[in-house]
Amino acid sequence: MIGADGSGSLRVLIAPDSFKGSMSAIDVARLVAEGWATVRPDDALLPLPLADGGEGTLDTVAAAVPGARRVAVTVPGPDGRPVNTHWLRLPDGTGVVELAGCSGLTLLDRPRPADAHTRGFGRAIAAALDAGATRLLLALGGSASTDGGAGVLVELGARLLDAAGTPIPPGNRGLGRLQTVDLTGMRPLPPGGAVILTDVANPLLGPDGAAPVFGAQKGLSPSGTVIAEHNLRRLARYLNVDAMAAGAGAAGGTGFGLLAWGAEVAPGGEFLGELAGLPAAVATADVVVTGEGRFDVQSWSGKLPSHVAGLAASAGIPTLLVAGQVSASTSGRFCASEDLSVLAGAPWRAIAHPSRYLRLAGAALARRMAVAGAEPVGLGSPAGDR
């Protein structure tokens, strides 16, 4: 393949998401680049680590915005134990708060699906407001709980009470005792408002809602999922928000709670990609590599790799995929893909040694380009489909 400069070298944009709970987007981009360079050392490699609102969002924004500053804060984690984390202050006064670092599943020693909560995320939002944030970007993803954002609302001044007028316990289980919701003491939105950044469009309730779709990954059993859905319906009766709104089911329903506060939803991958300069970077590339930890059917519904591939397709630029595991068709958008679990021979081996297999994946994708001649493997054909 001939590069845009007429030579045999290529400008390769490497724009992955993080591999959740395993590898940051910064490390994924670096390791894929290292592997690629072993096969095609003359190519210009352009790492651009990205996020879609989940784990790694603060790192992506910090790298993209000069002058961004981390502000330390200690909050109650999803099980109540203290968590030392931070939020990000941007030079224009915007505060960026990431749920995964405050109330995320990786902060637990074991899943606590009925009792995990989002109070820590709410505490960090309050800290940003206390520090004078004029606008908020709220990154949802990686939640440990299915509390409908109740913990966030409480930390922002809401009162959620049982029949005796006592605050309900945190977590989804506590919602089963909810009898009164008082929002009169809630803090106002900052002057510039609050934007919910999420990679999912699921509603709060129903078969595509927070509990049925995401409950299992938080530890909910089938019977527990039914109870969790019932408790979320109870919360929804007390809040004047459309429970079927797109994004309301994000992060165990935290999107719903934030909508009740007055925040607005934005597609995380698109918003953060713009912030990081993704469209301009794609336009100057000869080939784009993107990826995430698990590429599945949900990846086609707003996840970062599909957004990156869409931008590249619009510019007529081939896109390659690397993922920890590929469990959905990649044809139509990706010219080729590399599955770390296949390279490693087993998913557990890829998880145990992600650095090794990310380098191998980068080399394998570069090798495909090296032998493809004037056109990358899979372009216009299903050759890259797994």
Side-chain angles (χ1 to χ4, degrees), residues 25-64:
I26 293 171
D27 286 336
V28 172
R30 174 180 59 82
L31 292 163
V32 170
E34 289 176 2
W36 187 288
T38 64
V39 176
R40 296 181 57 94
D42 294 331
D43 287 349
L45 303 177
L46 312 170
L48 185 66
L50 297 173
D52 52 21
E55 181 182 330
T57 294
L58 289 191
D59 292 337
T60 294
V61 176

Side-chain angles (χ1 to χ4, degrees), residues 78 100 103-112 142-144 217-219:
S103 305
L105 187 60
T106 59
L107 299 174
L108 294 177
D109 55 358
R110 59 179 176 83
R112 301 171 187 268
S143 173
Q217 61 190 225
K218 306 177 199 305

Side-chain angles (χ1 to χ4, degrees), residues 268-280:
E270 182 176 345
F271 188 100
L272 293 167
E274 290 278 352
L275 189 66
L278 176 63

